[in-house]
Amino acid sequence: MAYALRTAQQQHEQRLEEDMSFEHPNRNNESMRDVELDIMSRPPEHNTTNLDLDRMNLMLDILGHPEQSFRVIHITGTNGKGSTARMAEAICRAYGMRTGLYTSPHLEKINERIAIDGQQLSDDDFIDIWDQTKDLVALVDAKMEEQGKPKMSFFEVLTAMAIWKFADTPVDVAIVEVGMGGLWDATNVLNADAAIIGPVDMDHMQWLGDTVEQIATEKAGIIKPNCTAIIGPQPHEEAVMPILAEAAERNHAMLVRDGYEMTASDRMAAVGGQVATLTTPNGTYEGVPIAKFGEHQAHNALAALAASEVVIPVNGPLDGDLVAEALSSVKIPGRIEQIRTSPTIILDGGHNVNAAEALRKAIEESYDFKQLVGVVAMMRDKQVEEYLGVLEPILSSVVVTENSWRERVMPADELEKIAVDVFGRDRVIKEANLPDAIQTAVNMVDAEDELGVGYGHGVLICGSFVTAGDARLMLEEHASPTMRQAMAVHQPAVDPDDSDQPADKAEDEAADNLEDSVSPDDFDVFDVLGLGKEQAGDAGTGTASADTDSTDTASADTDSTDTASADTDDSADAR
């Protein structure tokens, strides 16, 4: 087997040398859909048989340990990982460092998970990296089979692809979000220069443990020898901090704690977000603009800044203007993301109590809603009643529905029963189809909006990253067939009309034809917001799992590689 590994590695290196003359060889003419199905149909990341790093360590051995070629910011925590990762990446990139970013889950396309210099991989890039690594994945699978162990999970494959891409680019620093937990997560083959641990709370208990102490022990696993351990605000500080502090001491790591060695203060709401003063061990940054709502995002920015100070080769504080430029430009899809106005439509992918609390605080602080209608779809294994209870004071009513992950989503009938217990019968509506649920919520808002400008009225779509991803895809700006028909009548043709028919008569006939074929009922929120009802229905119901024979594996792609995809529980932010 050792000879086979060496031979495979030599062949792999030879192939890479040959590929250098081709930007995107794609020798097998694979489509993005084919590649995504290949990856996402693999075993789920978390089960009771693969709680080790054997597959990842073997893969890195074969690749020649590419992870040693760049610095690492490693991020875990129950919530806020994705936001913190993007903020740290933006700061490092503002300083001219080449950056690699690895996050999960993805909202629309699997490519979102891997980014170079702030840009997600193109389809060609993604296919190329898969083409370079898939034979080695098969080799690892074969070795594991010999040992009676499971083959690489889809998240392990994606992690290996990201590490190889970062080294091949090459990047100066990789900002890597843990999938779930930390200790046994596939990303924990990396040795962090800066290890960020955000708030530790109850989530994914079936894998991480049913107490915050057990969960904290898992997350403390990313603290490595001689790193800087950056600890965010802890809702269970008395229980969690001793565990994190002990891990830091054991690894001779420098401990930087929110509220002690670093602080976020003087927060003020601002257009599009907030400004705050951020103080780190290296200095104080006053009036930093942060392009996200909510107190928690100020603390995420603080952790990102402290971590960036570790990996950016500068003595003393960073340049305040560069920090401000970076943090004012960060866009974080699916995290309290306002995607429409009139009416205001907000997406949030958080799915646990801590996320709901942050969402509620952000909305109370940053908006002045007289009416806010919730559209909620959640996974059945979440703390659904507790989540809804946190949001109940800010929601006028709630429309319960289902997202595209049919294997895991809570049926609308069950969600309705729980919602009625929380909100009361008169504040709950059930619409099992997500596009219909969004339409219903918008209709409710429009009915109360006497001025017709949307001010003070909004829709909040939340409960899961799959829900947020499905809705985001539905509400993207694609002209619906009905709107295209209307535009064809009312917009003048570019080519000259050589017919003898008077222009005004032609216009009258065109208008009559439109009146015959289009009624006011043909127009709805998906026309106004940029998506036809048929397309919306396809997006909402067509995003099924990639492999019906794999119970927990989900790729949400049926007719297009752009369709939203949902991995199994590979992220503490996931669903």
Side-chain angles (χ1 to χ4, degrees), residues 451-465:
L451 297 178
V453 296
Y455 181 77
H457 302 269
V459 174
L460 172 64
I461 305 172
C462 61
S464 161
F465 273 104

Side-chain angles (χ1 to χ4, degrees), residues 378 380 401-402 408-416 430:
M378 298 187 71
R380 63 168 65 93
T401 185
E402 298 175 10
R408 286 194 57 206
V409 70
M410 175 173 283
D413 289 339
E414 294 181 26
L415 184 56
E416 179 185 29
K430 181 186 72 174

Side-chain angles (χ1 to χ4, degrees), residues 89-99 117 172-173 312-313 322:
E89 187 277 332
I91 296 171
C92 292
R93 179 160 40 89
Y95 254 86
M97 299 183 80
R98 296 216 69 183
T99 61
D117 294 333
D172 300 309
V173 59
I312 294 174
L322 290 179

